[in-house]
Amino acid sequence: MGKYRTTIGLEVHVQLKTHSKMFCGCGTDFGAPPNTHVCPVCLGYPGALPVMNRDAIRLTVISGLMLGCRINSYSKFDRKNYFYPDMPKNYQITQYDLPLCLGGSVEIEVGGRVRTIGITRIHLEEDVAKNLHYATWSGIDFNRAGVPLMEIVSEPDLESPEEASAYLLALRQILTYAGVSDCNLEEGNMRCDANCSLRPADRVELGTKVEIKNINTVKGVQGALEYEEIRQAEALDGGRTIVQETRRWDADLGITSSMRTKEDAHDYRYFPEPDLMPVALPAEQVAAWKAALPELPQARRERFVAQYGLPEYDARVLAAERAVADYFEAALRLIPGSPKAVSNWVMTDVLRVLSERTIDIGRFPIPADALAELIGLAEKRVINSNTARDVFALMLDEGGRAGDIVKTRGLAQVSDTAAIEKVVEQAIAENAKSAEDFRQGKAAALKFLVGQVMRLSKGKANPQMATEMLVARLGKG
Amino acid sequence: MTQAYQDTQQAGATIDVRYVANLARLNLTDAEVATFQAQLSQIVAYVNEIRALDVEGVEPTAHAAPVRNVFRDDVVVPGLEREQAIANAPEHSADLFKVPTIVE
C-alpha cells in the first residue's frame, strides 16, 4: 500500500465452555437436534426469569486475568434492545457500562516485528438463536440461544490484515490454554466482527470506519480485511468518501457487501437489566483465581527451553497448543532423561498423524504413557529406531503396549555378540563381491553389507554392533 | 450511563415520539402521538425535578435492593420437549420455528 495507513479493531465473540446456558439450565452441547435444548428462559417467554451461571462469570474473569485485564469489582448486566427473529424477547442481555474486565493486551508477531495489541474490555452476554434460510421461509433453532458468549473488544491497534489474523490466533491460543473455550471455529465457538478504516499516510486522524460482521474463520478475517483495504483505497483514490456502514463478508465470492441497515437500527437504548442483580467479586476470590491461572503459552515455551534444554523451535511447536504440550510433558514425566527424544517423537510422528487424520490430540489413539514406554525401549536400545517406527504404526492401528508388541512379535534387538557374529559371517559369505569392494576401500559397500545383516536378522540386529563387527572382520575400509 | 438516560438529563429535551415509537415497532395515530408527547414530557419533567436534589456522595446504582451475586451452579436441567416448545408458535416445521424470510 504505502499511500494509506490501515487501522483495524476486532470484536471477538467466544462461546464459553460451560455445561449449561448463561441464564438457564439448558445444555450447551453443539450439534443436538434443533430446539431440543430449550426452555421458557432461552425461548424468551414473557415472565421467565434469568439466573446467572456462576461458572460463566468465573471463566470470563479467568480470560481477563490471562489477558492482563483489570477485573471490575462491581459489574452489572444491561438490556440491548432490538428486533430480530433470533432474539424473541426483543433484547439481548449483555453488559454496557460496567463489563467484567477492562484493559489488557495480547502480544503478536508478524514478519519478525513484535507488537502489543490493546484490549479495551471483555463483557459477557447471551448468544442468540441460529437462523436457517429456505426458499420461502426462515427457521429458528434456539439451541444456541443463551449460550454464554464473551465479547473481547480490541483497541484499534492492528495495522494490517496479517496482524488481525495473528491477533486472532494468539487470542485463541491463550483462551484454549486458559481452558475457557474450545475456540472451535467450525462449531462457531469463535466469531469475529472487524472495524476497518484507511487514512492517507500523512494524516493523523482516523478515516471513516466500516464494520464487517460475523466472520467465522481466521482466513475469512484476513480475506475480508484485504478486500476492504483495496476497496477503500480505490474509493479514496477516486475521490469518493467512505460511507460508515456495516458490511457482510461473503467467503465464497471473496467480497464484502453492504448490509443496508437502517440508520436508527443502532439505537439500542441500553438500560440496566432489572431481572439480574449486580455482580460484586470479592478481591480474595479474584486473587485465588489469579493464583491458579495456567501458564501462558509464551511462559511455557520459555520453560521448555530452560528446563528441558529443548531448541527454541521445538519449544514453539510443542507449546503451540496446550493439549499437545500437556501430552509432551505427560510422556516426558515417565522418561525424564530423554526430553529431546520425546520432543522428536511428538513433533514428527505424533503431529504428522494428527495432521494426516485431521484430528486433535484428544483423539490421538496412543496415550502419552504408552508412547513413553515405546520411546523408553528405543532409548535403551531394546529395539532399534526402524523397529520403533514399526511398533508405533502397530500401536496406532491396533493399540496395545510397546513392550507386549516387542515380546509377542520377537522384535527385540539382538545385541548378543555371538548371534550377530553368525549373521555377519553369513552376510559376508553371501556377498563376497561387496566384501571385496569394501576391502578395496569402497565405503558404500559397508552400508550394503549392514543392510544385508539387518535383512538376515529380520531387522533385529543392533546396527551399530553389526557395523563394528563388519569393519573388524574386513579390516578398515 | 445510557444514551436515553443522558437525553432526559438535558433540561427541556423534547422526545421525538414518532422516532421512539418506531424503535419499539409501534404504529401510532396522530392523536396518540399528541397524547404520548404530553405524557412523556411530564415524565421528563419529573426526572428533571430529581436532578435538582443534592446527591453529592451518593453512589449511582442500577438496583435499589442491596442484593448481589445471585448465581446458579453450572448444572444442566431438563427444559421443554421440542413438541411443547414449538406448539405455541404461529407456524413451525417439524423441528424449527417458522418465520417470514429473514433479509439481512
Side-chain angles (χ1 to χ4, degrees):
Chain A
M1 292 254 131
K3 203 169 156 195
Y4 300 106
R5 294 274 178 274
T6 305
T7 303
I8 298 165
L10 295 183
E11 292 167 16
V12 181
H13 292 90
V14 178
Q15 278 184 350
L16 294 173
K17 207 157 94 179
T18 54
H19 302 292
S20 65
K21 291 186 180 179
M22 182 66 225
F23 298 118
C24 62
C26 291
T28 55
D29 45 309
F30 180 82
N35 293 307
T36 51
H37 293 323
V38 294
C39 77
V41 173
C42 56
L43 286 168
Y45 282 15
L49 289 173
V51 187
M52 270 179 245
N53 183 334
R54 188 192 307 278
D55 252 25
I57 304 282
R58 181 178 63 86
L59 295 176
T60 305
V61 172
I62 284 173
S63 306
L65 292 170
M66 288 289 276
L67 295 167
C69 302
R70 299 191 303 283
I71 308 305
N72 253 333
S73 57
Y74 180 88
S75 180
K76 71 171 172 64
F77 285 85
D78 301 274
R79 291 184 180 183
K80 176 182 179 178
N81 300 279
Y82 66 90
F83 289 86
Y84 209 66
D86 60 16
M87 185 48 76
K89 59 187 188 300
N90 299 336
Y91 58 85
Q92 179 188 26
I93 303 177
T94 179
Q95 299 194 283
Y96 183 64
D97 57 340
L98 292 169
L100 281 163
C101 314
L102 289 168
S105 64
V106 172
E107 200 159 275
I108 60 164
E109 192 188 323
V110 172
R113 184 165 164 248
V114 176
R115 295 194 61 223
T116 301
I117 306 304
I119 287 173
T120 314
R121 55 184 275 161
I122 305 177
H123 66 254
L124 186 53
E125 59 190 29
E126 54 180 339
D127 206 346
V128 297
K130 193 171 175 203
N131 304 324
L132 298 121
H133 305 286
Y134 302 96
T136 56
W137 57 286
S138 293
I140 319 283
D141 170 11
F142 283 89
N143 285 349
R144 197 181 70 182
V147 169
L149 195 65
M150 177 169 73
E151 182 172 331
I152 303 172
V153 183
S154 87
E155 291 288 309
D157 287 345
L158 298 157
E159 294 174 351
S160 69
E162 295 76 28
E163 285 194 359
S165 100
Y167 167 82
L168 265 186
L169 290 171
L171 195 61
R172 181 165 70 167
Q173 194 184 47
I174 293 168
L175 295 175
T176 44
Y177 255 74
V180 301
S181 173
D182 292 326
C183 293
N184 186 329
L185 293 148
E186 285 102 75
E187 295 187 0
N189 289 162
M190 201 174 178
R191 306 191 291 273
C192 182
D193 298 340
N195 289 301
C196 174
S197 72
L198 256 61
R199 67 177 198 279
D202 57 359
R203 242 186 45 200
V204 181
E205 65 269 36
L206 297 180
T208 308
K209 75 173 179 192
V210 164
E211 184 179 13
I212 312 156
K213 279 273 186 208
N214 245 320
I215 326 172
N216 297 331
T217 62
V218 177
K219 233 175 88 189
V221 169
Q222 186 158 344
L225 288 166
E226 279 167 357
Y227 179 85
E228 264 312 293
E229 261 188 341
I230 295 168
R231 187 188 70 85
Q232 292 186 26
E234 277 176 1
L236 293 171
D237 281 344
R240 295 187 295 276
T241 49
I242 304 293
V243 187
Q244 179 160 356
E245 61 178 350
T246 304
R247 298 178 72 86
R248 179 200 310 107
W249 167 242
D250 186 323
D252 296 328
L253 297 178
I255 61 165
T256 67
S257 55
S258 179
M259 287 174 79
R260 282 186 294 270
T261 41
K262 270 191 227 141
E263 240 173 81
D264 62 22
H266 291 293
D267 191 345
Y268 292 125
R269 294 150 295 140
Y270 287 94
F271 64 84
E273 165 60 273
D275 292 340
L276 292 168
M277 300 318 284
V279 176
L281 294 168
E284 313 83 68
Q285 175 67 82
V286 176
W289 285 336
K290 192 168 185 177
L293 283 185
E295 218 174 1
L296 279 165
Q298 195 182 337
R300 200 163 195 183
R301 272 201 304 272
E302 287 161 8
R303 184 168 61 78
F304 280 7
V305 173
Q307 186 179 343
Y308 304 134
L310 291 178
E312 193 76 46
Y313 175 81
D314 292 38
R316 184 172 291 271
V317 173
L318 293 171
E321 212 181 296
R322 181 185 174 181
V324 172
D326 288 346
Y327 182 93
F328 164 74
E329 287 204 283
L332 183 55
R333 222 163 285 136
L334 299 168
I335 38 169
S338 313
K340 183 57 185 157
V342 179
S343 166
N344 287 347
W345 274 94
V346 174
M347 283 203 315
T348 52
D349 303 271
V350 176
L351 292 183
R352 172 180 51 81
V353 173
L354 296 187
S355 98
E356 278 170 7
R357 302 189 176 185
T358 52
I359 53 172
D360 56 41
I361 194 128
R363 309 237 306 273
F364 185 66
I366 304 175
D369 62 326
L371 183 73
E373 183 181 327
L374 171 65
I375 300 172
L377 292 176
E379 287 290 287
K380 278 184 264 161
R381 310 230 173 275
V382 175
I383 50 177
N384 62 44
S385 61
N386 284 336
T387 307
R389 296 245 138 49
D390 294 342
V391 174
F392 179 81
L394 283 168
M395 289 165 72
L396 203 53
D397 294 330
E398 292 162 27
R401 308 289 302 194
D404 298 338
I405 295 173
V406 168
K407 208 175 291 166
T408 54
R409 303 201 176 215
L411 297 173
Q413 177 163 257
V414 175
S415 298
D416 166 18
T417 315
I420 300 178
E421 203 113 319
K422 236 176 89 190
V423 188
V424 165
E425 266 166 41
Q426 193 187 346
I428 293 173
E430 288 178 8
N431 302 280
K433 170 90 175 63
S434 297
E436 189 49 37
D437 285 351
F438 180 66
R439 281 198 195 92
Q440 299 303 320
K442 205 171 146 195
L446 180 63
K447 263 206 180 118
F448 173 77
L449 288 168
V450 174
Q452 292 308 304
V453 173
M454 296 310 289
R455 186 181 63 83
L456 290 167
S457 71
K458 299 193 174 64
K460 291 191 288 186
N462 179 325
Q464 278 88 3
M465 289 178 72
T467 309
E468 283 161 22
M469 280 180 206
L470 281 165
V471 172
R473 282 281 170 134
L474 303 172
K476 291 207 167 62
Chain B
M1 268 298 133
T2 68
Q3 192 57 48
Y5 179 78
Q6 277 165 3
D7 289 347
T8 58
Q9 293 265 298
Q10 290 158 21
T14 5
I15 288 176
D16 182 341
V17 176
R18 285 247 178 250
Y19 174 75
V20 174
N22 182 48
L23 286 176
R25 303 293 185 270
L26 295 173
N27 219 341
L28 302 183
T29 63
D30 288 345
E32 283 169 327
V33 169
T35 307
F36 291 135
Q37 187 75 66
Q39 289 177 350
L40 289 171
S41 298
Q42 281 170 12
I43 293 169
V44 173
Y46 178 63
V47 172
N48 281 332
E49 236 173 83
I50 295 174
R51 285 183 71 227
L53 293 175
D54 179 12
V55 290
E56 192 66 34
V58 179
E59 279 280 312
T61 182
H63 294 270
V67 181
R68 306 274 181 273
N69 301 341
V70 181
F71 299 130
R72 36 172 278 276
D73 290 331
D74 181 26
V75 175
V76 176
V77 296
L80 296 172
E81 293 296 325
R82 178 162 64 203
E83 289 63 36
Q84 279 179 291
I86 59 179
N88 284 334
E91 262 194 284
H92 60 81
S93 69
D95 52 7
L96 297 171
F97 290 83
K98 237 170 152 169
V99 297
T101 306
I102 299 169
V103 186
E104 280 183 331

